[in-house]
Each structure stands twice: as structure tokens, then as C-alpha cells.
Amino acid sequence: MNRHRVPFDGRFSIRDFSCDPPSGAPSKKELESDLDDLVDELDKLQQRLFADERFAVLTVFQAMDAAGKDSTIRKVFSGVNPAGFRVHAFGRPSELELRHDFLQRVVTRLPERGKIGIFNRSHYEEALVVRVHPQFLAAQHLPDVDLKRIWDERFESIRTFEQHLARNGTAVVKFWLNVSRKEQKKRFIRRIEEQEKNWKFRLGDLDDRGRWDDFQAAYESMLRATSRPWAPWYAIPADDKAYMRTAVARILVETLKELDPQFPKLDADHRRELTEGLMRLERE
Ligand code: AMP
Ligand code: MG
């Protein structure tokens, strides 16, 4: 079992999961060379996934700002055939999206068989940012809102939804990039000091930082309620980027290996075509 996997029994405690790599983790150089190998392996597995046509993979990334969602996605998928995966970033829902149930906009972006879908933020925002800032909930045109029950109800909807996906051939794998408050501050300052990163910083980012403890509590209850065998969460230490990227790539490779996609077996007709094709080419 992977050490970062969030237990399925609902007993997850955020305090048991560190923002730092475990002791004895490989050096940066070793991690980077491991990542290169994993990226290659991921590409090969994706080719099989595509040829097999039975499975899809849905990868979800959630984290506080500056944890490294974008750069992790960029690095981990850097070697995969671009035709084999699709990234979707979920921001604030549009007016039209708010007129639907909260899963609708996610459903329209699910990967088809053979593909890897990557969600940069996801339906989980509905129990994170929306929970911490109830004004978002007020904008959702919901008929009855019982604040004592709504989050558990959302978790139930999400568990059922993801189990449905799993039963129908979509492997769901979810990453929480666990960055510390201290490291986030360093990265925000870098965004302000380095001109090329300026565009990433808005003053509003400090509002969510100001609600750090509320977010941590929301993450804890969300991870407890929604890490299940058919859709596991992994809590990845995010204060060290090299470690984080390699850990994510390794888990994705493990997930795909477990699906074990196969190249289709050729039937007799197809085999005859190969023999005939070779003959004709040699005769040219
Ligand atoms: P970014 O990922 O930095 O581009 O920011 C996207 C913003 O959209 C974040 O502040 C998210 O919290 C916010 N967001 C994403 N999903 C939702 C949602 N369902 N309701 C409200 N805000 C959301
Ligand atoms: Mg942002």
C-alpha cells in the first residue's frame, strides 16, 4: 500500500500527514531521474490504455494556492502523448453552471475510454471553498439548505458518483497536495518578487490564506468522507516539489498498472492481413 494513501475507514487525521518528504527520501537528483523514468512509463501505459478501449482514468488535484497543482500536472504529463490526456481547470461556476446541480459541469468533462482526464480543482471545491465561504452556497439557487446536513449529503453524492464511474471503467485517483502555511508564504512572496510570476498573485489569495484553519478542517472532513477503495485520495507532501512530482507520477503509474490495459488481441483475419501486407511490400 502506498504510504500517502488516505485510509478508507473515515479515521483520517490531517496531523498524521506531513507537508515534508518522509525521512530517508531520495536526493533531488535521484528524484528527478526517477521522475524521468516514471514519465516514460506513464506514456507507455497510456498507449496501452488507448489501445485497450475499456478504461479511462480520472485524476483530481486539490490544494491550497501555490501548492504546485499546475507545475505538477505539467511535469508529470510532460512525456505523455498530448492526444491521450486532457486537463480541465475549474474556476468559479458560471451563471449557467449554477443553474445545474453541482456535478453537472464535471460530468461534461469526464474522460472517455482510452483517455486520462485531469481536473485542476474539481467538484471537491463544493465542499471546500463553498464550505468556508457560504456566500457561494447562497448563489446556488438551492431549494432547501440545512447547513448541518449539506456537507455530508454532498459527500454522499460524490461517493456514489465516483463509485458509478469506477463500476463503468473509469479509475478515479485523487491528489491533495499538502503544502504548509509557511511554505505558501514563501511561494507567495516569490510570486510578488519575480516579475514572471506576478500575474499569478492577486490580493484575494490572502483571504483564503487568512482562513487557513477553516480550510484545513474542510479538507480533513472531505478526505475522511471521500477516500474509498474505488476512488482513493493521496495526501502528498508538497513543500518539496521534486518529491511531490515523483510521488504523484509513481501513484499514477501504479494505478495504471493495476488496471493492466492490454493491446487488443488480433483475430485470424487481421493476422492474415499482416502476412499479406508483408508479402506485398516485399514484392514491390
Ligand atoms: P485558480 O485555480 O487560481 O485559477 O482559481 C480558481 C478559483 O475558483 C479558486 O479560488 C477556487 O476556489 C474557485 N472555485 C472553483 N470551484 C468553485 C466553486 N464550485 N464555487 C466557488 N468557487 C470555486
Ligand atoms: Mg490562484
Side-chain angles (χ1 to χ4, degrees), residues 32-257:
E32 283 171 355
S33 131
D34 288 353
L35 181 59
D36 285 345
D37 295 344
L38 290 161
V39 163
D40 287 346
E41 218 173 334
L42 197 58
D43 180 46
K44 292 205 182 84
L45 284 160
Q46 196 284 323
Q47 290 177 33
R48 281 177 176 269
L49 186 79
F50 186 78
D52 184 305
E53 287 187 325
R54 283 178 300 166
F55 306 112
V57 176
L58 174 63
T59 311
V60 171
F61 287 87
Q62 285 290 160
M64 296 297 284
D65 269 326
K69 295 190 299 294
D70 300 74
S71 68
T72 301
I73 293 169
R74 192 165 69 236
K75 295 282 177 184
V76 169
F77 291 92
S78 58
V80 180
N81 178 354
F85 70 93
R86 199 177 309 125
V87 186
H88 191 80
F90 289 93
R92 289 195 189 179
S94 68
E95 251 319 300
L96 180 63
E97 285 168 343
L98 287 171
R99 294 185 169 275
H100 287 279
D101 71 281
F102 73 88
L103 289 174
Q104 187 267 351
R105 69 172 179 161
V106 176
V107 170
T108 60
R109 266 93 187 203
L110 289 171
E112 65 268 32
R113 295 179 209 285
K115 299 277 176 78
I116 301 176
I118 300 153
F119 286 177
N120 183 342
R121 303 185 191 272
S122 66
H123 45 302
Y124 283 99
E125 291 290 328
E126 291 291 334
L128 294 168
V129 73
V130 177
R131 188 169 187 172
V132 174
H133 300 288
Q135 68 270 27
F136 287 127
L137 196 60
Q140 292 190 353
H141 311 283
L142 294 168
D144 283 308
V145 176
D146 178 344
L147 283 175
K148 278 201 225 65
R149 293 205 337 244
I150 187 161
W151 312 114
D152 283 337
E153 286 170 358
R154 289 195 164 184
F155 294 145
E156 189 187 344
S157 299
I158 290 173
R159 281 193 303 266
T160 311
F161 165 61
E162 292 177 349
Q163 191 168 29
H164 165 79
L165 295 179
R167 282 178 180 142
N168 286 278
T170 298
V172 184
V173 53
K174 304 174 290 195
F175 297 102
W176 170 50
L177 307 183
N178 182 14
V179 72
S180 68
R181 192 157 190 267
K182 198 166 143 221
E183 179 65 22
Q184 189 197 46
K185 182 172 178 174
K186 269 188 10 204
R187 293 184 190 169
F188 274 163
I189 290 175
R190 223 174 292 145
R191 286 181 178 186
I192 295 167
E193 287 180 346
E194 289 177 30
Q195 213 184 345
E196 284 186 358
K197 293 189 171 159
N198 286 170
W199 64 274
K200 290 194 201 178
F201 185 83
R202 299 309 299 256
L203 206 50
D205 294 347
L206 297 188
D207 298 343
D208 283 351
R209 178 175 170 78
R211 304 289 301 272
W212 191 271
D213 292 343
D214 297 327
F215 270 100
Q216 294 297 104
Y219 269 105
E220 185 171 69
S221 98
M222 179 272 267
L223 290 158
R224 270 184 196 158
T226 58
S227 189
R228 291 295 181 271
W230 58 84
W233 274 107
Y234 293 90
I236 308 291
D239 281 8
D240 180 312
K241 287 197 169 184
Y243 182 83
M244 164 169 64
R245 291 165 184 166
T246 307
V248 166
R250 181 161 290 128
I251 291 162
L252 278 170
V253 164
E254 282 166 12
T255 303
L256 272 143
K257 275 188 176 164

Side-chain angles (χ1 to χ4, degrees), residues 251-267:
I251 291 162
L252 278 170
V253 164
E254 282 166 12
T255 303
L256 272 143
K257 275 188 176 164
E258 221 161 286
L259 283 180
D260 195 22
Q262 300 293 328
F263 290 112
K265 286 225 167 22
L266 301 190
D267 58 23

